Amino acid sequence: PNLQEFYRRRTIETLAQVDPNDPRLKEVPQEFHSIWPLDAEGTDHRAGGSFGHPSTLYKVISSADGKAYVCRRFDTVRSPTKVAMVAEQTWTAIRHAGIVALKEIQVRPSGVFFLHAFHPGARSLKSRIQGSRQGVQEATVWSFLCQIGGAIRTAHLAGAALRCVDATHLIVTPDARFRVSGVGIYDVIEFESSARKNLSDLQAVDIASLGKLALSLAVGAVIVDDVPAIRQGIEILRHNFSANLCRCIEALISRPVTLGELGSLMADSLMAEVGFWQSACDALDDNLSREFENGRMIRLLLKLGCINERPDQDMDVQWSESGDRYTLKLFRDFLFHQVDENMKPVVDFGHMVHSLNKLDVGENEQILLSTRDSRHIIVASYADLKQKLESAFLDLYRNQNPVKQAAAPAPMRQRGGRPHLGRMGSRGPAMRPNPAVSPVPGVPGGMPVGMGMAGL
């Protein structure tokens, strides 16, 4: 899949928000903003929801850490704060890739709020099955069993029961990941009945539900506790899937299965699943290394942008036009303002990326930097330019307002589109700075941007 498009869509869903005057903003605690409703259109919030009580579901962003969460609000539930604290302590300590992490539980006079991690693009397993109306390939069923089986194992070893292993509360994300959502909710909203239930019985329900959901995924129909439907599904399974998968699902549905038996039933598929995700990690690591190259370049460009032709009024107006800063200005022309032998502009990303990489590592290779009127030529190495860049930026940073220096970096004002840097193009023919471009007299207008040193 196209990773750029994948992450772009995730960002769009994460940043989606209702109108600032929308009355629903009052339905979530004040420490959250950028809310977006996640319930299906036309949902009657007065009726009992998927947990048996009326609730509303929103995507929110926390003002404390800037992260997106799913906030589920129950208006009619009244639970002791101590019960919520126990559930929060239990489930915030349980971490597994197949469990949607619980952030916190808030008990307020207006209702009970559950905050879980937000996974953009997720939809329920029920909508996935009903939307396709046909079974999936065997490899997908085994992947589902391994992912959710691992989540069940982690929860059970921690002395808890998921209680949400059903088609409504299992979610599927675009990266082929299955997760159990809503953990900890039943522990709070049904605390009285939960105290009377045996933990081993609740854990047995988790494992049996895993088998029913795997069967539902294989045959393309949601199967719950309907015995004739289960028998019909098993027949379809025997005719279209391997004996190992049939044996595994039948065992999960028909009898109590321990965690050890669960691992044995899925042993072969677990090894295949590990190999698949290791290959996926290798591919992501390769893409991450490319993005890391882009990050190095953008840091250099940010520093150059802060220094070149800076219009500060409280510093020397010629600061950016003298000494080492003037050399950096000529390097900027060498980098971006190339022309060919006919004085036509040349846009060569290969030359830009190649030069920025050499500047970043500080190579000893020397280049010729020409003034815009072609009267003067300066010979400088990339190592010299790197030293001048670091020195000029440090000088600029030290001369900023001490109050702003101690505070968090101010947000930058975006001008134009986001630059795309990558491994593209070639160095092409020999090029030189454009002498036809006359220098800008005086101090150019613009808005100086305050920056912090973190990451630079």
Side-chain angles (χ1 to χ4, degrees):
N2 188 319
L3 280 179
Q4 288 184 345
E5 179 64 18
F6 172 73
Y7 286 111
R8 187 185 73 84
R9 289 183 177 275
R10 285 186 55 170
T11 302
I12 291 175
E13 293 195 26
T14 301
L15 299 180
Q17 59 181 316
V18 299
D19 187 86
N21 297 320
D22 196 300
R24 289 174 293 184
L25 284 167
K26 299 178 181 178
E27 296 185 9
V28 300
Q30 291 184 352
E31 61 264 32
F32 301 102
H33 61 88
S34 303
I35 78 166
W36 185 256
L38 298 179
D39 289 314
E41 264 187 68
T43 301
D44 184 3
H45 299 296
R46 296 170 298 178
S50 59
F51 289 94
H53 296 269
S55 66
T56 50
L57 194 64
Y58 295 102
K59 183 277 303 179
V60 299
I61 294 181
S62 171
S63 299
D65 57 17
K67 295 181 180 179
Y69 297 98
V70 171
C71 176
R72 185 179 289 273
R73 169 178 174 155
F74 290 90
D75 293 330
T76 60
V77 172
R78 295 294 178 264
S79 176
T81 304
K82 185 177 180 180
V83 172
M85 289 178 60
V86 171
E88 180 180 316
Q89 291 174 358
T90 299
W91 288 105
T92 53
I94 298 176
R95 287 290 181 265
H96 188 273
I99 299 176
V100 179
L102 175 68
K103 169 67 175 177
E104 65 176 318
I105 303 173
Q106 297 185 9
V107 179
R108 297 176 175 238
S110 57
V112 182
F113 300 85
F114 295 85
L115 292 168
H116 291 84
F118 175 63
H119 295 279
R123 58 173 177 161
S124 69
L125 181 64
K126 182 178 181 179
S127 66
R128 160 75 181 269
I129 294 174
Q130 292 177 341
S132 62
R133 296 188 177 276
Q134 58 183 1
V136 299
Q137 296 182 350
E138 182 167 335
T140 303
V141 181
W142 278 120
S143 180
F144 168 80
L145 285 167
C146 292
Q147 293 182 50
I148 304 302
I152 292 174
R153 179 180 181 275
T154 298
H156 289 189
L157 290 177
L162 290 172
R163 305 182 66 183
C164 294
V165 186
D166 56 67
T168 303
H169 298 126
L170 259 70
I171 61 172
V172 190
T173 48
D175 53 353
R177 297 286 302 278
F178 298 91
R179 293 178 174 89
V180 183
S181 69
V183 294
I185 293 181
Y186 278 123
D187 297 342
V188 176
I189 65 176
E190 296 183 358
F191 67 96
E192 293 179 341
S193 60
S194 297
R196 297 191 297 267
K197 294 180 180 178
N198 192 300
L199 177 62
S200 60
D201 292 339
L202 295 175
Q203 292 177 340
V205 172
D206 285 347
I207 295 178
S209 299
L210 174 65
K212 295 172 186 175
L213 289 176
L215 180 61
S216 302
L217 199 59
V219 303
V222 178
I223 298 174
V224 188
D225 294 320
D226 186 358
V227 176
I230 292 177
R231 290 176 179 171
Q232 184 179 3
I234 293 295
E235 287 300 319
I236 296 175
L237 200 67
R238 289 171 179 169
H239 285 86
N240 296 280
F241 295 90
S242 67
N244 285 339
L245 182 61
C246 294
R247 184 164 52 251
C248 177
I249 293 179
E250 286 185 58
L252 294 174
I253 294 176
S254 61
R255 61 181 175 84
V257 175
T258 65
L259 292 177
E261 289 178 296
L262 181 63
S264 299
L265 289 169
M266 299 187 298
D268 293 339
S269 62
L270 280 171
M271 290 187 286
E273 188 73 4
V274 169
F276 171 81
W277 288 112
Q278 284 179 334
S279 299
C281 287
D282 290 341
L284 289 174
D285 182 69
D286 180 59
N287 279 278
L288 177 61
S289 66
R290 299 178 187 177
E291 295 303 318
F292 172 74
E293 298 295 326
N294 294 344
R296 292 190 300 119
M297 293 179 203
I298 194 62
R299 282 192 290 271
L300 292 174
L301 292 174
L302 289 174
K303 291 181 180 180
L304 283 171
C306 287
I307 295 168
N308 291 148
E309 302 179 64
R310 189 171 185 86
D312 289 306
Q313 299 301 320
D314 55 345
M315 298 174 60
D316 181 4
V317 293
Q318 294 298 321
W319 179 82
S320 62
E321 300 291 329
S322 60
D324 293 345
R325 282 81 61 187
Y326 186 69
T327 307
L328 294 173
K329 177 182 176 179
L330 298 184
F331 176 73
R332 188 269 313 273
D333 290 343
F334 168 83
L335 195 63
F336 298 116
H337 301 161
Q338 297 284 337
V339 293
D340 61 15
E341 60 276 7
N342 297 318
M343 305 306 296
K344 298 293 185 182
V346 174
V347 180
D348 188 343
F349 286 101
H351 163 72
M352 299 176 196
V353 171
H354 196 67
S355 300
L356 285 171
N357 279 329
K358 290 185 176 182
L359 176 65
D360 183 56
V361 299
E363 284 196 6
N364 291 322
E365 177 185 338
Q366 293 184 328
I367 56 176
L368 296 178
L369 303 177
S370 172
T371 59
R372 293 183 176 183
D373 57 8
S374 296
R375 284 183 165 183
H376 304 283
I377 293 179
I378 298 177
V379 179
S381 68
Y382 286 102
D384 294 335
L385 291 169
K386 181 177 181 179
Q387 188 274 330
K388 295 178 190 297
L389 177 64
E390 298 298 335
S391 176
F393 184 78
L394 186 60
D395 182 34
L396 179 66
Y397 181 78
R398 286 173 176 170
N399 280 280
Q400 69 175 324
N401 189 316
V403 177
K404 291 183 178 180
Q405 184 171 341
M412 293 188 293
R413 298 190 179 185
Q414 180 179 352
R415 295 187 176 187
R418 181 181 62 182
H420 174 73
L421 297 173
R423 297 173 179 173
M424 59 175 68
S426 60
R427 296 194 66 182
M431 296 173 287
R432 56 191 176 91
N434 186 357
V437 179
S438 60
V440 179
V443 180
M447 176 65 70
V449 177
M451 293 185 61
M453 291 290 286
L456 297 177

